[in-house]
Amino acid sequence: MRASLSCQTGGRVCRRSGALQRSAVVVPCGRVCARGRAAVRVRAEAPRDGSPTVVKEPPTKAPATAPARTPLAPPAPASAPTPAPGPQYFPQPGDPQWPPQRAFAAIALDNLLDSVVDVGRHLGRMNVETDKLTMRQQEQLVPGDNGRMRLRASTKPVVLVLGSGWGAHSLIKVIDTDTYDVVVVSPRNHFLFTPMLPSTAVGTVEFRSLLEPVRTSNPCVTYLEAECDSLDPHSKVAVCTSSFAYDDGRRPQFEIQYDKAVVAVGEQPATFGVPGVREHCFFMKEVSDAVALRKRIAEKFELASLPGTSEEDRKAALHFVVVGGGPTGVEFAGTLSDFVREDLKKKYPALMKYVKVTLLQSAQQILTQFDAGLGQRAAEALESSGVEVRTGVRVVEITVNKVMLKGGEELPYGVCVWSAGNAPRPLVTQIASRVPEQAAAAEAIKAPPNAKLCVDSFLRVVGATDLLALGDCSLVLGNRLPSTAQVAGQQGAYLAHLINSKYQLGVGGYTQPPPFQVVKRNKLQALQAAAEENAVLSWLAGAMMGGKTRIQASKEVADALFRMDAPPWVRVHSESLTKAMPLDVDAPPGGTKVVCDISAVMAAAAASGGADPAAIARASADCLRSIEEEQLKAREGAEATEVRYWDRPFEFLSLGIMAYVGNDKALTQVEAFDVINLKLHGSVAFLLWKSVYITKQVSFRNRVLILFDWMKTRVFGRDISLF
């Protein structure tokens, strides 16, 4: 139990405390309640057997001294002290969640309102004059002191964005470039709609229909086509190297001093140590992968059609192996079967008996993200389209013309596509190694060290200051999210709104204060003075709130209630900035708290006229008044009068998952509002898949291009030109 802080006047208590652990001593405190100030707690220990508290009378010969204010004595050490608990990185089961979790409808409403603001900001950028953009982009890099080039000095805070994928693109679209100087560094100067990348590898959709250049996404950002080699989270400096070289082979290198940074570099294909994967397999990460894969498919058909080619060579050349039964592998196998059945069959009819598509999956089911029933439906749909689905097999090696399986089986192949998983990029490993808290946080959730950047519920990198991470390269502690484009896109928009709010990010971590905004005392005084000069505002304040005194009292009550509900680390942070009197009885770690000692109060009362109730009340009031005056003076001298905290942690709003399985069939699984559980498969799901993918395009231009591509494919077929 805890001692309560009470100030009683006429039976009214101004402030309450948490659960009682020690008995409360209520003393009258005169004008304390009327002035809206909480009195200091008076502490008296309660017997452990549960009997009433007894305050012993002091000795009759007491020294005539003023009531003493003594620090609380630390508790006596136990005979067998328990070791101090380690740092907490995420809420444990049973811990109260703060800020409280919001309902699905509230999240959806906030996202809708944010989208309205984002549309207005995006439309405003369309009127940016060309000469302003020219001035913005002149002399971006200037010589630095260490031999490297550096980003030119900026009059606005610099926000560094690393990457141009789903998360970075969503952030770039929304971020306020009037407030911040936004610098985007990425080796890829465009955004790619990756879910439709398998369609480009077979010619259903053209490559450029899925792209949007970064400079088109937001013409007001500074884009540098380079790769970030290292980032120092302590000095806030990123070192980058250009993606291109001069004629003599030199690659420009430069550094960027940032105020806030967002790491959105994603991940790279994982080989899991299987020999030959990088040398002989195709990936599905970039446009260049799809271009090379499309060319290789055409080459294999032309090779197999040459006269004199043996049947064994034709079977091997036209055997297409897809390793990985996730959405990417399944969609490519489905689209490839469509390409063979609808287009190549008309051009190479004699080769159709040699064509074979095989999907290999190490797990016992494909599409493990979906319901087991939908996964089985997907396997049946693929097999009906001519795709051989093999589950529970493991690839141990890839040679130039064979896939080696565990157990000794060999599969001759012509084209092998690897989509078995992702691995961290070197930059993520480098940043995680520079922050000691990252290894401890990964160990706490039993995750591989330095594989991802551990972030808190506000997407701040744990242990780093003003550093954010999102997408596949991040791991939200206590709330593992799927590695999907949907998650990354929502995280990018969320961080853009957080940065636009101008809140201070602070240090990342569960036990660190959330992003906050300090209301300066001079600004508040200026606003109050302006309100007092306005007769209408003054009348409204008096009529609606009861006057200046009641407004001040209500503000302090609201502040006290907020700190009572907030976790200890937020409470301590707020009290340190505003100099508000702590609510806790126990002294903060490493410090002491000054309170009125009940024995000293009674001794002073006895020395000045006896230990009758009136004397004790006078002595208590004098002690409380002196402490109150010191507290009031300290609070008035504080620079901050109020601390506002960002109360919207990232909450993923799942809109469902989809996958195309070939032959104009798809899977759709939607779970929302805790009551909607929609599971579709077949042609209806395919129509929903097409409608969602066309509406999720990032621009009207992309929607028009994809619609025309689908129309051309339906009327004229897919192009099989080789160049």
Side-chain angles (χ1 to χ4, degrees):
M1 296 177 58
R2 184 182 298 171
S4 68
L5 169 62
S6 301
C7 169
Q8 192 171 26
T9 301
R12 180 168 56 92
V13 179
C14 290
R15 181 173 297 175
R16 60 180 177 84
S17 71
L20 292 177
Q21 285 190 347
R22 301 183 181 94
S23 63
V25 178
V26 181
V27 295
C29 47
R31 296 171 298 163
V32 175
C33 278
R35 294 175 58 183
R37 303 290 176 181
V40 69
R41 295 175 178 83
V42 179
R43 181 176 180 179
E45 295 290 342
R48 296 183 180 272
D49 57 1
S51 57
T53 304
V54 178
V55 181
K56 297 181 179 180
E57 294 291 338
T60 54
K61 294 183 179 181
T65 57
R69 289 171 288 160
T70 60
L72 294 179
S79 56
T82 57
Q88 187 174 352
Y89 294 101
F90 54 90
Q92 300 295 332
D95 290 350
Q97 185 170 355
W98 195 91
Q101 186 175 4
R102 298 181 299 159
F104 183 94
I107 302 173
L109 180 60
D110 283 341
N111 291 346
L112 177 62
L113 297 177
D114 290 337
S115 299
V116 173
V117 177
D118 299 341
V119 170
R121 182 176 289 113
H122 184 67
L123 293 177
R125 296 196 192 108
M126 299 176 64
N127 298 324
V128 178
E129 299 178 3
T130 306
D131 56 347
K132 292 184 178 180
L133 294 178
T134 303
M135 295 178 60
R136 180 192 297 269
Q137 297 176 359
Q138 282 180 347
E139 298 181 357
Q140 294 176 344
L141 299 177
V142 297
D145 299 332
N146 54 1
R148 295 195 193 105
M149 302 292 286
R150 63 173 177 83
L151 189 71
R152 55 173 169 72
S154 175
T155 57
K156 298 183 293 186
V158 175
V159 176
L160 174 63
V161 181
L162 301 177
S164 58
W166 280 90
H169 180 265
S170 297
L171 186 144
I172 295 168
K173 282 273 194 179
V174 179
I175 196 167
D176 185 5
T177 52
D178 294 331
T179 304
Y180 299 100
D181 191 355
V182 182
V183 181
V184 181
V185 175
S186 175
R188 189 181 71 186
N189 72 343
H190 57 269
F191 164 78
L192 171 64
F193 194 85
T194 50
M196 296 189 69
L197 197 57
S199 298
T200 65
V202 298
T204 306
V205 177
E206 292 302 322
F207 306 109
R208 296 191 181 275
S209 301
L210 306 181
L211 308 180
E212 183 179 67
V214 173
R215 291 185 171 91
T216 303
S217 303
N218 189 342
C220 299
V221 303
T222 299
Y223 171 73
L224 303 174
E225 187 151 349
E227 187 165 1
C228 182
D229 301 322
S230 63
L231 185 144
D232 189 348
H234 305 292
S235 60
K236 296 186 177 182
V237 174
V239 179
C240 308
T241 303
S242 171
S243 299
F244 308 107
Y246 296 113
D247 294 338
D248 56 2
R250 291 181 296 110
R251 291 182 179 270
Q253 194 175 54
F254 56 93
E255 61 183 23
I256 299 175
Q257 185 84 33
Y258 65 85
D259 296 285
K260 300 176 183 178
V262 180
V263 182
V265 296
E267 291 185 309
Q268 60 185 352
T271 63
F272 303 103
V274 178
V277 172
R278 294 201 176 275
E279 294 81 2
H280 308 299
C281 292
F282 291 88
F283 302 109
M284 295 294 289
K285 272 289 187 182
E286 305 292 343
V287 170
S288 57
D289 299 329
V291 171
L293 180 57
R294 185 172 176 177
K295 181 179 179 181
R296 179 62 60 90
I297 293 173
E299 289 176 349
K300 290 300 179 182
F301 271 90
E302 293 297 340
L303 178 63
S305 65
L306 293 176
T309 305
S310 64
E311 289 195 3
E312 290 76 11
D313 290 338
R314 285 174 177 168
K315 288 181 180 180
L318 299 180
H319 187 195
F320 303 94
V321 178
V322 182
V323 182
T328 302
V330 168
E331 291 200 355
F332 176 72
T335 54
L336 180 59
S337 67
D338 290 346
F339 185 34
V340 172
R341 185 180 61 259
E342 298 173 1
D343 298 281
L344 296 179
K345 184 178 181 179
K346 301 175 182 178
K347 307 299 188 297
Y348 307 94
L351 299 179
M352 287 301 103
K353 61 181 179 180
Y354 304 109
V355 177
K356 184 179 181 181
V357 181
T358 303
L359 177 65
L360 304 179
Q361 166 75 328
S362 60
Q364 297 300 324
Q365 175 190 330
I366 63 173
L367 296 176
T368 55
Q369 303 91 336
F370 287 77
D371 178 77
L374 290 179
Q376 182 62 30
R377 294 277 188 177
E380 295 173 357
L382 288 173
E383 290 175 352
S384 66
S385 300
V387 179
E388 180 185 7
V389 179
R390 300 184 59 180
T391 59
V393 296
R394 185 174 296 276
V395 177
V396 296
E397 185 181 358
I398 305 289
T399 65
V400 67
N401 57 1
K402 291 183 181 180
V403 176
M404 314 296 292
L405 303 182
K406 186 177 181 180
E409 184 179 358
E410 300 179 357
L411 299 179
Y413 74 92
V415 177
C416 183
V417 178
W418 185 274
S419 60
N422 296 321
R425 295 191 182 274
L427 177 64
V428 173
T429 304
Q430 181 269 328
I431 297 175
S433 64
R434 298 293 297 270
V435 183
E437 291 83 355
Q438 285 290 306
E443 183 180 0
I445 59 174
K446 297 179 174 55
N450 301 337
K452 292 177 181 286
L453 293 176
C454 298
V455 299
D456 60 12
S457 58
F458 302 98
L459 305 185
R460 301 176 301 177
V461 176
V462 173
T465 304
D466 296 330
L467 184 61
L468 305 163
L470 56 84
D472 294 351
C473 68
S474 67
L475 178 62
V476 181
L477 298 180
N479 182 22
R480 293 207 176 197
L481 300 173
S483 298
T484 61
Q486 186 180 163
V487 172
Q490 292 186 25
Q491 288 179 334
Y494 168 83
L495 285 185
H497 297 139
L498 174 58
I499 296 174
N500 292 346
S501 68
K502 304 178 184 178
Y503 276 54
Q504 300 182 39
L505 299 179
V507 181
Y510 171 67
T511 56
Q512 295 292 338
F516 62 93
Q517 186 179 58
V518 176
V519 179
K520 300 292 185 179
R521 183 167 296 276
N522 54 1
K523 292 185 178 180
L524 183 62
Q525 291 174 348
L527 291 175
Q528 291 176 345
E532 291 176 356
E533 293 177 359
N534 191 310
V536 177
L537 293 179
S538 299
W539 178 83
L540 286 176
M544 300 178 63
M545 299 295 296
K548 185 177 180 180
T549 303
R550 298 193 67 176
I551 292 175
Q552 179 67 22
S554 63
K555 287 173 56 180
E556 296 196 2
V557 170
D559 174 67
L561 293 176
F562 164 77
R563 289 188 285 134
M564 287 177 183
D565 293 335
W569 51 88
V570 176
R571 190 181 312 154
V572 172
H573 180 260
S574 174
E575 292 167 353
S576 65
L577 292 177
T578 61
K579 305 300 181 184
M581 188 179 68
L583 298 178
D584 290 338
V585 170
D586 298 329
T592 59
K593 183 181 295 184
V594 178
V595 298
C596 288
D597 193 315
I598 187 64
S599 60
V601 170
M602 297 184 68
S608 62
D612 55 55
I616 295 178
R618 287 194 301 272
S620 299
D622 292 339
C623 180
L624 294 173
R625 188 179 301 110
S626 62
I627 294 180
E628 179 198 0
E629 291 174 355
E630 292 182 5
Q631 296 276 352
L632 179 61
K633 184 177 180 181
R635 188 157 190 177
E636 290 178 348
E639 183 181 4
T641 185
E642 181 184 351
V643 182
R644 299 171 183 170
Y645 292 97
W646 185 260
D647 61 351
R648 290 171 53 185
F650 175 74
E651 294 170 293
F652 173 54
L653 186 65
S654 179
L655 302 177
I657 49 179
M658 298 179 172
Y660 179 67
V661 294
N663 198 18
D664 291 346
K665 296 179 181 179
L667 305 178
T668 300
Q669 180 174 321
V670 179
E671 297 177 358
F673 293 102
D674 297 330
V675 294
I676 298 178
N677 190 0
L678 182 64
K679 299 176 183 178
L680 299 176
H681 61 87
S683 301
V684 176
F686 173 65
L687 294 177
L688 184 60
W689 177 87
K690 296 191 77 169
S691 62
V692 170
Y693 272 32
I694 198 66
T695 55
K696 293 297 290 182
Q697 296 300 316
V698 296
S699 69
F700 179 74
R701 165 189 171 274
N702 294 91
R703 296 186 186 97
V704 173
L705 291 176
I706 290 177
L707 285 175
F708 273 100
D709 289 340
W710 283 345
M711 188 181 304
K712 288 189 302 181
T713 300
R714 181 65 64 180
V715 176
F716 303 107
R718 299 171 180 86
D719 182 33
I720 61 172
S721 301
L722 181 61
F723 50 87

